[in-house]
């Protein structure tokens, strides 16, 4: 089958092909997920070169672990979990300690957000300018929720944290973002 016709196959069909020995088909999965994965890494690691190294490591880890992928979740979720965990392991001990402390919080937050398409576009552009100023663990949650439009449930699955801990982290991330916006006299309000 040509590489062009392979692009229309599902992730599971491509994985089956790779596991049958067609290793070059893995490039299709790389093309599908490299931009979002790089964006996620870049929000957590400020260095572009280090982000590229981590992305390569993630694709290598996923390739080497492909036979362990059971299909219980989507490939993208499984892969983004690899991306998240690999990136977290590269962060400084201080940042990792802060992240771990947040995992033990039990607060339940019930937050809903509804935006029009225009508001989503404006918010995305605005966040893109400000998000790099946040600590990496906050930036990753904000990035996944607002820019990649993942649900808290998907973020919990990717980060392997409980839903309540993700909501706490998200709440703290939004507060840090709001504080940053206030300190810099930005006019957009996050509600």
């Amino acid at each position: 089958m040509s590489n062009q016709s392979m692009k229309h196959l599902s992730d599971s069909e491509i994985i089956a092909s790779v596991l049958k020995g067609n290793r070059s088909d893995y490039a299709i999965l790389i093309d599908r997920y490299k931009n979002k994965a790089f964006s996620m890494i870049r929000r957590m690691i400020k260095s572009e070169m280090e982000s590229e190294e981590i992305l390569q490591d993630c694709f290598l880890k996923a390739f080497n672990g492909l036979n362990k992928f059971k299909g219980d979740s989507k490939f993208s979720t499984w892969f983004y979990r690899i991306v998240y965990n690999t990136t977290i392991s590269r962060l400084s001990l201080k940042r990792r300690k802060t992240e771990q402390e947040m995992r033990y919080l039990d607060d339940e937050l019930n937050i809903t957000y509804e935006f029009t398409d225009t508001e989503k576009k404006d918010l995305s552009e605005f966040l893109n300018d400000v998000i790099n100023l946040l600590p990496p663990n906050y930036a990753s949650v904000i990035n996944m929720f607002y820019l990649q439009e993942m649900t808290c449930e998907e973020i919990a699955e990717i980060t392997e944290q409980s839903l309540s801990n993700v909501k706490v982290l998200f709440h703290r991330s939004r507060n840090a973002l709001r504080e940053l916006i206030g300190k810099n006299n930005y006019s957009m309000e996050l509600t």
Side-chain angles (χ1 to χ4, degrees):
M1 193 175 284
S2 74
N3 203 6
Q4 188 63 22
S5 61
M6 289 290 292
K7 289 183 180 183
H8 300 292
L9 295 178
S10 70
D11 290 350
S12 58
E13 291 168 321
I14 294 168
I15 291 167
S17 176
V18 171
L19 293 175
K20 287 179 186 172
N22 302 315
R23 293 176 164 212
S24 62
D25 291 345
Y26 189 66
I28 299 166
L29 292 175
I30 291 172
D31 285 341
R32 282 186 185 171
Y33 297 105
K34 66 183 177 185
N35 292 337
K36 278 190 176 183
F38 182 77
S39 176
M40 183 185 297
I41 295 166
R42 191 76 166 93
R43 299 296 180 197
M44 297 168 72
I45 303 288
K46 303 307 181 201
S47 163
E48 185 170 343
M49 188 161 56
E50 188 176 359
S51 296
E52 288 173 1
E53 283 177 24
I54 292 170
L55 181 61
Q56 290 175 6
D57 288 348
C58 292
F59 277 116
L60 186 60
K61 283 180 184 181
F63 181 81
N64 290 334
L66 211 51
N67 59 343
K68 296 175 187 162
F69 175 65
K70 304 209 184 325
D72 297 337
S73 62
K74 295 188 295 187
F75 173 80
S76 60
T77 302
W78 180 76
F79 178 66
Y80 292 141
R81 184 179 304 131
I82 291 170
V83 170
Y84 179 82
N85 288 335
T86 301
T87 306
I88 286 295
S89 71
R90 291 274 187 109
L91 294 172
S92 71
L93 181 60
K94 180 180 176 183
R95 289 178 180 163
R96 279 187 264 148
K97 184 178 178 186
T98 301
E99 174 105 352
Q100 289 169 351
E101 287 171 0
M102 289 183 188
R103 290 182 183 177
Y104 297 108
L105 298 174
D106 281 345
D107 297 335
E108 281 291 333
L109 302 172
N110 294 313
I111 305 170
T112 57
Y113 303 93
E114 293 181 21
F115 297 105
T116 66
D117 288 341
T118 303
E119 289 171 330
K120 281 183 183 178
K121 184 176 183 281
D122 291 345
L123 181 60
S124 178
E125 290 172 8
F126 172 73
L127 287 174
N128 200 32
D129 292 339
V130 179
I131 201 167
N132 285 328
L133 302 174
L134 291 172
N137 56 330
Y138 288 176
S140 67
V141 171
I142 293 292
N143 178 56
M144 286 186 267
F145 187 84
Y146 285 113
L147 303 181
Q148 297 187 26
E149 298 182 358
M150 293 182 185
T151 64
C152 285
E153 290 80 7
E154 289 171 320
I155 296 169
E157 193 171 343
I158 288 167
T159 61
E160 295 182 315
Q161 296 184 43
S162 71
L163 180 59
S164 61
N165 288 346
V166 167
K167 288 181 179 180
V168 168
L169 181 58
F170 180 61
H171 177 72
R172 288 177 176 228
S173 301
R174 287 181 68 249
N175 285 343
L177 186 61
R178 185 180 290 120
E179 185 177 312
L180 184 62
I181 291 166
K183 282 182 182 176
N184 291 292
N185 297 319
Y186 292 117
S187 62
M188 183 171 283
E189 175 66 25
L190 295 177
T191 57

